[in-house]
């Protein structure tokens, strides 16, 4: 089992920045790919960014150049630096984890989510 706790959400004006944190506990952090997802009201959950234990990252097209995912193995944490935020980024943000050796696209472990609200 992996336990994930997100923090760092809040209310910010358009053009502003936020930094989300996801701290993992339980199993070996170095064995897990960590991803940030978001779910806006009335929409499906979507992946925003992910990072493998070796540091390979992926970004959703709409956040490339604005968001940066980083991994801190010493603190078993993954961060999502979000810059130039727009109202379209408003959502509940979740971090998810899956074993790096898993062939599944599913993320079986989830945090509780943190709300990000961007005002125009």
């Amino acid at each position: 089992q992996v336990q994930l706790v997100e923090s760092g959400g809040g209310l910010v004006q358009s053009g502003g920045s936020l930094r989300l944190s996801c701290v993992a506990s339980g199993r070996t952090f170095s064995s897990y790919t960590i991803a940030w997802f978001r779910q806006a009201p009335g929409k499906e959950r979507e992946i925003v960014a992910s990072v493998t234990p070796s540091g390979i990252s992926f970004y959703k097209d709409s956040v490339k150049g604005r968001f940066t995912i980083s991994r801190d193995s010493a603190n078993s944490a993954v961060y999502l630096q979000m810059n130039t935020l727009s109202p379209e980024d408003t959502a509940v943000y979740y971090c998810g984890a899956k074993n790096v050796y898993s062939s599944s696209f599913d993320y079986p472990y989830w945090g509780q989510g943190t709300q990000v609200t961007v005002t125009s």
Side-chain angles (χ1 to χ4, degrees):
Q1 287 282 350
V2 176
Q3 292 79 42
L4 303 170
V5 178
E6 303 103 329
S7 62
L11 179 67
V12 64
Q13 288 188 333
S14 183
S17 299
L18 283 173
R19 185 192 192 214
L20 305 183
S21 299
C22 173
V23 177
S25 61
R27 293 290 183 90
T28 305
F29 180 70
S30 61
S31 298
Y32 288 83
T33 292
I34 307 294
W36 284 98
F37 293 77
R38 67 186 181 188
Q39 187 167 20
K43 295 187 177 181
E44 293 188 354
R45 188 176 297 188
E46 62 179 4
I47 191 167
V48 175
S50 66
V51 62
T52 67
S54 62
I56 298 172
S57 59
F58 159 85
Y59 295 94
K60 176 180 171 63
D61 283 348
S62 62
V63 307
K64 286 180 180 177
R66 299 189 299 125
F67 290 11
T68 302
I69 192 168
S70 60
R71 193 177 181 111
D72 179 359
S73 296
N75 292 300
S76 298
V78 171
Y79 307 104
L80 186 68
Q81 177 67 45
M82 306 186 296
N83 298 328
T84 320
L85 285 162
S86 71
E88 289 70 34
D89 296 314
T90 295
V92 178
Y93 284 70
Y94 300 88
C95 67
K98 69 169 184 173
N99 191 293
V100 69
Y101 301 108
S102 171
S103 59
S104 172
F105 290 107
D106 293 335
Y107 284 73
Y109 305 107
W110 294 92
Q112 81 287 354
T114 185
Q115 176 71 48
V116 171
T117 303
V118 185
T119 61
S120 57

